[in-house]
Amino acid sequence: MSARFDAIGLVVSDMGASVAFYRRLGFAFPEGAEEQGHAEAELPGGLRLLMDTEEVVRSFHAAWEPPSGGGRASLALRCDSPAEVDSVYEELVASGCRSELKPWDAVWGQRYATVLDPDGNGVDLFAPLAG
């Protein structure tokens, strides 16, 4: 089989808000991406984060409707330390991002928190706990 994992795709309702959110987390979207219907950011290891507006998706899938209810997927971002989990979480919430789970020490040995992107997708922040 020659298929290989290449990208993560998100449908967004507001490209500007989504690009700003993910740029805050270090994703390198090109200048002007916030004004496009499709945007891509290169990720370490050759993967890409792709975002398309609802309008772009409806241009090729007219019956598409946004899902209702809670999210079923999330992105997980590893931080350098438990303190960084707390500081990134606080920075995002202070800038207006919605909190899903405040930072806590998980039983599996990680400091963990979850914020929501502008469309309600979970973005997990984590770091191994010392010892």
Side-chain angles (χ1 to χ4, degrees), residues 6-28:
D6 182 72
I8 299 161
L10 299 175
V11 178
V12 301
S13 57
D14 181 335
M15 185 64 79
S18 295
V19 166
F21 174 85
Y22 284 103
R23 277 184 179 151
R24 231 182 253 120
L25 291 168
F27 290 75

Side-chain angles (χ1 to χ4, degrees), residues 36-111:
Q36 303 300 313
H38 173 83
E40 298 185 14
E42 298 255 342
L43 305 176
L47 294 175
R48 298 170 297 145
L49 178 62
L50 315 176
M51 294 193 303
D52 291 289
T53 62
E54 294 173 355
E55 293 78 19
V56 166
V57 172
R58 284 191 187 104
S59 76
F60 60 83
H61 184 0
W64 183 85
E65 290 293 329
S68 61
R72 294 179 179 245
S74 64
L75 301 178
L77 304 178
R78 183 179 180 140
C79 297
D80 288 335
S81 68
E84 187 180 27
V85 170
D86 293 357
S87 66
V88 171
Y89 171 87
E90 291 301 331
E91 177 186 328
L92 291 170
V93 171
S95 73
C97 295
R98 294 177 289 162
S99 169
E100 180 76 2
L101 291 172
K102 292 180 180 182
W104 59 290
D105 293 341
V107 297
W108 55 84
Q110 293 175 331
R111 184 73 172 163

